[in-house]
Amino acid sequence: MTNERKADIILGVSTVGFIGTYFINSGLGGGLLHGAFGAAMVGGIADWFAIRALFHEIPLDAHSNLLYAKRDKLIEAMVDFSTKDVLDKESVKKEVARRDIVALIVEYWENRNGRAKVNNVLKISLGKILDDTDLQSVVNKLTPHIRLCLKDHSFLQNKLSLLLQKAMDNNTTVKFYVAILQLAKFIYNEPEFQEILKKDVHELIDKFLGTRVDRRLARLGGHLATNGLSDDDVLGYLNEWANEQLTSSIEAPSASYATVKEKIRQLLDNRELWEELQRKKNEFLDQADLENWIYSNLNHFCTQRRNELFALVESLLDVGMEQVKKNPTPINAYFQKKLTELVEDNYNELPNMIRRTIVDKGDRYIVDMVQDKAGDNLQAIRISGSVIGAVVGTLLYLLSIGVKGVFG
């Protein structure tokens, strides 16, 4: 039961009791009851009137509907309290500075279904972009710039040279080199490859005779020229030599890798090589239907392999989130800086935002809000008024009896 309902019942009982005891107010008991009921009724009506006047207009009372009449002052008081006491600029900036933004992001991502929601939004947005984009027009506009960029001499020489230099200086490259040698040895000794070698073994030996090779291979060439060995004999010698070279390079790769590395460096410094590569590249770019190639591949990827694109985006987001969790400091610093700048630049708009928000909710928003939040508590005053009135009425009746007895 609400306080308003209780107060109405008490007021009703007091009124009925006051009227009922009017005819039996003779004697001490009747007088006490009549006085108590009367005072309780007056107190209840007075408090009802006061509380009613806060929220509603009462005819013939210019001071009623008080909250509505003073709503502008109440709004300004709320704005001042919010911006000067609760959300003053320095307090907001301190609150932003102490917030762990990454922790909030991770909490949302992992425990509030954030990952699925973000991926779904990106999937819908990306799908909409792909559906609405005129891919042919985009390719037609970008292709001339791509072609020009690819023709740039520095694009080939500088980028490729830098990439190879970094690859050669990487500590894992030697392991990769050994892996290639092991693969080469495996392929070399495969029966299918041996059959290929056997068919052209004489031509291979003749070719090697004109180059700087292992002495045993050179002697094999001379022996082959004078004694006419069979293909199997020649292949056996060649396999023995090749496997020794590959095995020694695998077991001690540093020396052979240094030689390969030096050869590559020499090639990277060969001006004529780069000029020839540049010429071939430009010839290819002039002859190639670059627009159609780019369009067909992009169109195939965007239509037939769209799910792969979505999966790629999801994996990139997962990788990015893991990186953020491992090193949250830069992200926190970035967001805290941006949020602090946002507060600094826009804080003066906060009072207007609060004021507009309240005003937009209607003229009676303040009245209805106070009544909803505190109205029932205010009704308790009516209960107290009736009870106190009854007590005071009883005391006053007793006092009047005492005065009459003394001064009779």
Side-chain angles (χ1 to χ4, degrees), residues 104-124 310-322 325:
L104 296 176
I105 295 174
V106 172
E107 166 68 16
Y108 173 77
W109 184 264
E110 294 181 346
N111 301 325
R112 300 187 182 182
N113 203 29
R115 181 181 182 277
K117 293 178 181 177
V118 172
N119 284 329
N120 187 53
V121 170
L122 286 176
K123 185 176 180 179
I124 295 173
F310 295 152
L312 175 62
V313 172
E314 290 184 9
S315 64
L316 290 176
L317 282 174
D318 290 336
V319 171
M321 187 58 65
E322 289 301 319
K325 289 163 60 178

Side-chain angles (χ1 to χ4, degrees), residues 149-319:
C149 180
L150 291 174
K151 281 189 173 184
D152 183 10
H153 181 71
S154 62
F155 179 82
L156 176 65
Q157 183 171 354
N158 295 349
K159 299 295 186 296
L160 182 58
S161 177
L162 180 63
L163 180 63
L164 290 174
Q165 292 282 2
K166 287 185 176 180
M168 289 188 298
D169 294 335
N170 195 299
N171 293 330
T172 60
T173 307
V174 177
K175 297 180 181 179
F176 182 67
Y177 171 70
V178 172
I180 292 176
L181 291 177
Q182 291 172 338
L183 179 62
K185 184 177 179 181
F186 173 78
I187 295 174
Y188 181 87
N189 289 288
E190 282 293 291
E192 293 83 358
F193 192 78
Q194 288 292 308
E195 286 296 325
I196 296 173
L197 289 176
K198 187 175 180 180
K199 291 179 182 178
D200 302 315
V201 67
H202 284 77
E203 288 77 3
L204 288 171
I205 295 299
D206 290 340
K207 183 177 180 180
F208 275 115
L209 286 175
T211 61
R212 183 183 178 185
V213 295
D214 185 90
R215 289 182 179 180
R216 283 179 298 167
L217 191 58
R219 287 199 300 271
L220 171 60
H223 193 61
L224 175 63
T226 56
N227 296 330
L229 294 176
S230 67
D231 289 348
D232 290 333
D233 294 332
V234 175
L235 186 59
Y237 282 114
L238 182 60
N239 287 341
E240 181 183 355
W241 174 81
N243 278 295
E244 285 184 5
Q245 295 297 314
L246 288 170
T247 300
S248 62
S249 296
I250 292 171
E251 293 176 352
S254 299
S256 61
Y257 177 70
T259 302
V260 172
K261 191 174 178 180
E262 182 59 32
K263 290 293 184 182
I264 294 176
R265 291 190 188 280
Q266 291 175 4
L267 287 174
L268 293 177
D269 293 334
N270 190 323
R271 183 182 180 86
E272 294 179 356
L273 172 65
W274 288 114
E275 290 177 352
E276 181 62 20
L277 288 174
Q278 180 71 15
R279 186 181 66 80
K280 292 292 185 181
K281 180 190 69 174
N282 289 342
E283 287 180 0
F284 171 76
L285 291 173
D286 290 336
Q287 296 173 6
D289 187 0
L290 200 58
E291 289 88 347
N292 185 58
W293 182 84
I294 294 174
Y295 173 77
S296 61
N297 281 276
L298 285 178
N299 185 59
H300 174 73
F301 193 82
C302 292
T303 55
Q304 305 300 321
R305 303 174 62 183
R306 183 173 294 192
N307 288 334
E308 294 181 31
L309 179 61
F310 295 152
L312 175 62
V313 172
E314 290 184 9
S315 64
L316 290 176
L317 282 174
D318 290 336
V319 171

Side-chain angles (χ1 to χ4, degrees), residues 131-146:
D131 291 337
D132 295 345
T133 300
D134 184 354
L135 193 58
Q136 186 66 64
S137 298
V138 174
V139 171
N140 291 340
K141 290 180 181 179
L142 291 180
T143 300
H145 300 284
I146 296 174

